[in-house]
Amino acid sequence: MIEPKEFARRRRQLMRMAGPDAIVVVAAAPERVRNNDAHYPYRQDSDFHYLTGFAEPEAVLALVPGRAAGETILFCRERDPERERWDGPRAGTEGAVARYGFDDAFPIDDVDDILPGLIEGRRRVYYHFGRDTEFDLKLIGWVNRVRALIRQGAKPPHEFVALSHLLHDLRLYKSRAELRLMRHSAKIAAEAHVRAMQATRPGMNEHAVEAELLHAFRRHGAVPSYEPIVGGGANACVLHYRANNALLADGTLLLIDAGAEYQCYASDITRTFPVGGRYSPEQRALYDIVLAAQLAAIDEVRSGRSFDAYHEAAVRTITKGLIRLGLLEGGLERNLREHTYRKFYMHKTGHWLGLDVHDVGDYRVDGEFRVLEPGMVVTVEPGLYIAPDAKGVPAKFRGIGIRIEDDVVVTRSAPDVLSADAPKDADAIEALMAASR
């Protein structure tokens, strides 16, 4: 877990960046109704979690640099034995200070009375506009209350600034504690993928394999970090396939894209394996191209390299392989220049990973791809998708979808693959599946 002192350090760092005349306001995620009086499982807002570690709804964080009475203030629900009997324990204002390290805490019901006074005298308000329309209107109302008192000497803020401008750059660099959680999350997800490989048999339904993933996640106190993709046969060619309800046929491949979320930190792993336990020659030929592309890409996930370098490495390897199989014609450089590979590989090779699966952080700075630095975490996920109706492609290759994805930390030396426990060598996968039978 992450200690309260690390959350406090993050708040101090953000306040230094915001400046002494600013206020930072961050709202907890609202609860969402699924239907009637049933709620979706609650998941805290990632930015709010990053700064507080506080898991409850109905809370607001205010950071007021230089305030003599306390710079870090949390508004939260009060203790309520009757409601806690129904919904579980609450920290309350005393717990917020004692357990979470805030300078002060007030009941959330008092936020309308107190927060305008904290805003008054601040030149800039850092906030996420557009995430929660209801809270946007509340914040504007608090600022307008300060503006209404200008004749009495009140000083309203002159500027609203997107909080993401500061905060998301902080989140891009993972601490040791964060990396420990991400490594554990990846370990759970890797175990889930192994369990799925061992359980898969021809004639099973995709959702039965999905159940094996969910069992492994919940067994270790994790939840899915996104809706799992379990696509057999031609379903693997649908990049965001989510139905997970088709029968698995012998002789086809099964693509599973599934990650775990542990203490709010995500993993993101994809493996593609044969339903019947052995790759056909055509499947193996395509699989080996994707694996070679992934290994070449991972080797580029190094400090000082451009974010785009590992995508370019994957594209070059995939294009070479497609030419070798006769699925692309002409020379390598012409195919690269004309992007002919996009017929079979149409997405980027990865993204940032952290509290969100597609984590925050700019990919370009001043128009140029960002340079990778230690502490950044990316996914590396090349693929090939030969549509069932692909024209000009031999029938033996049609309907095959393959993706291989791992989570990789940028270090000061070699790339650190967090998800290495999930086998991806074709021979190793076949051996694992044979042993399970």
Side-chain angles (χ1 to χ4, degrees):
M1 63 178 293
I2 296 175
E3 297 294 330
K5 63 183 180 181
E6 179 164 333
F7 292 108
R9 185 170 65 249
R10 294 170 182 175
R11 295 192 291 268
R12 289 194 301 270
Q13 188 173 2
L14 181 59
M15 286 190 288
R16 284 196 297 270
M17 295 170 70
D21 55 354
I23 182 171
V24 178
V25 180
V26 190
E31 293 182 292
R32 302 291 186 187
V33 175
R34 182 180 183 273
N35 59 299
N36 199 9
D37 61 349
H39 287 77
Y40 283 104
Y42 185 70
R43 184 5 172 112
Q44 187 57 276
D45 174 81
S46 292
D47 285 332
F48 191 88
H49 174 82
Y50 182 80
L51 293 169
T52 68
F54 192 78
E56 297 180 25
E58 297 181 66
V60 175
L61 172 68
L63 302 181
V64 194
R67 180 173 177 267
E71 297 179 308
T72 64
I73 302 159
L74 186 73
F75 297 88
C76 62
R77 301 177 302 184
E78 293 187 271
R79 297 294 306 275
D80 183 338
E82 179 63 26
R83 287 312 313 166
E84 290 180 55
R85 189 173 294 118
W86 286 88
D87 302 325
R90 300 176 175 182
T93 53
E94 291 183 4
V97 174
R99 287 162 45 196
Y100 293 90
F102 297 102
D103 295 331
D104 209 347
F106 299 101
I108 189 65
D109 291 340
D110 294 343
V111 69
D112 286 332
D113 297 324
I114 297 174
L115 200 52
L118 299 177
I119 292 173
E120 197 276 328
R122 299 282 152 171
R123 291 183 59 85
R124 291 186 309 284
V125 178
Y126 284 89
Y127 172 71
H128 286 308
F129 273 106
R131 285 193 180 180
D132 182 343
T133 303
E134 184 177 342
F135 195 84
D136 290 351
L137 295 174
K138 284 184 179 180
L139 181 60
I140 292 170
W142 296 327
V143 171
N144 285 339
R145 282 172 56 184
V146 178
R147 286 174 175 162
L149 299 175
I150 289 179
R151 292 186 178 181
Q152 282 79 23
K155 297 179 180 179
H158 297 289
E159 192 177 359
F160 287 97
V161 185
L163 179 57
S164 59
H165 178 65
L166 298 182
L167 182 55
H168 291 176
D169 240 31
L170 292 181
R171 282 180 51 188
L172 188 56
Y173 300 88
K174 275 58 179 182
S175 68
R176 290 180 181 177
E178 288 180 292
L179 291 175
R180 280 195 296 269
L181 289 177
M182 293 185 71
R183 192 178 303 278
H184 190 63
S185 172
K187 193 174 188 67
I188 294 169
E191 180 182 309
H193 280 265
V194 169
R195 183 183 176 97
M197 291 176 188
Q198 292 171 325
T200 297
R201 301 287 188 278
M204 286 180 69
N205 195 289
E206 291 167 347
H207 57 61
V209 179
E210 181 182 8
E212 301 292 335
L213 300 168
L214 299 179
H215 179 279
F217 293 163
R218 296 303 296 137
R219 178 171 173 265
H220 294 290
V223 296
S225 53
Y226 51 95
E227 193 171 6
I229 296 170
V230 184
N235 292 336
C237 297
V238 181
L239 298 184
H240 289 164
Y241 177 73
R242 297 188 302 169
N244 298 355
N245 60 5
L247 293 177
L248 298 173
D250 197 8
T252 63
L253 297 180
L254 176 58
L255 185 154
I256 296 180
D257 188 336
E261 179 178 284
Y262 182 76
Q263 294 187 19
C264 287
Y265 282 86
S267 53
D268 188 1
I269 302 174
T270 307
R271 293 294 185 265
T272 310
F273 56 92
V275 171
R278 292 194 66 83
Y279 295 91
S280 72
E282 293 76 28
Q283 293 167 352
R284 180 65 182 261
L286 292 172
Y287 187 92
D288 285 347
I289 291 173
V290 177
L291 181 57
Q294 202 223 19
L295 295 174
I298 289 174
D299 194 51
E300 290 293 324
V301 180
R302 296 176 182 270
S303 180
R305 307 277 173 89
S306 164
F307 174 84
D308 199 44
Y310 76 90
H311 173 67
E312 295 298 329
V315 164
R316 178 169 288 270
T317 304
I318 282 175
T319 304
K320 284 181 183 177
L322 292 174
I323 293 171
R324 188 172 64 251
L325 289 183
L327 298 180
L328 293 178
E329 297 178 349
L332 174 62
E333 298 305 325
R334 182 180 69 79
N335 277 281
L336 290 172
R337 188 170 57 253
E338 296 178 2
H339 307 296
T340 56
Y341 59 87
R342 289 182 181 172
K343 179 180 178 181
F344 307 116
Y345 176 41
M346 59 291 294
H347 59 78
K348 281 288 190 178
T349 304
H351 52 78
W352 305 128
L353 183 70
L355 283 166
D356 299 316
V357 176
H358 288 260
D359 207 27
V360 296
D362 293 330
Y363 290 97
R364 292 176 182 266
V365 177
D366 297 328
E368 299 294 329
F369 276 107
R370 192 168 204 139
V371 173
L372 297 177
E373 298 178 64
M376 296 177 173
V377 184
V378 299
T379 65
V380 182
E381 50 180 308
L384 279 174
Y385 314 92
I386 316 297
D389 58 352
K391 293 180 172 58
V393 175
K396 61 184 179 181
F397 290 117
R398 292 181 203 153
I400 296 177
I402 298 167
R403 183 163 63 253
I404 307 172
E405 178 180 20
D406 281 297
D407 307 339
V408 184
V409 184
V410 182
T411 74
R412 298 191 183 280
S413 54
D416 180 7
V417 181
L418 299 176
S419 45
D421 286 350
K424 60 185 176 183
D425 176 79
D427 292 336
I429 290 173
E430 289 183 344
L432 174 69
M433 297 184 73
S436 71
R437 281 157 168 74

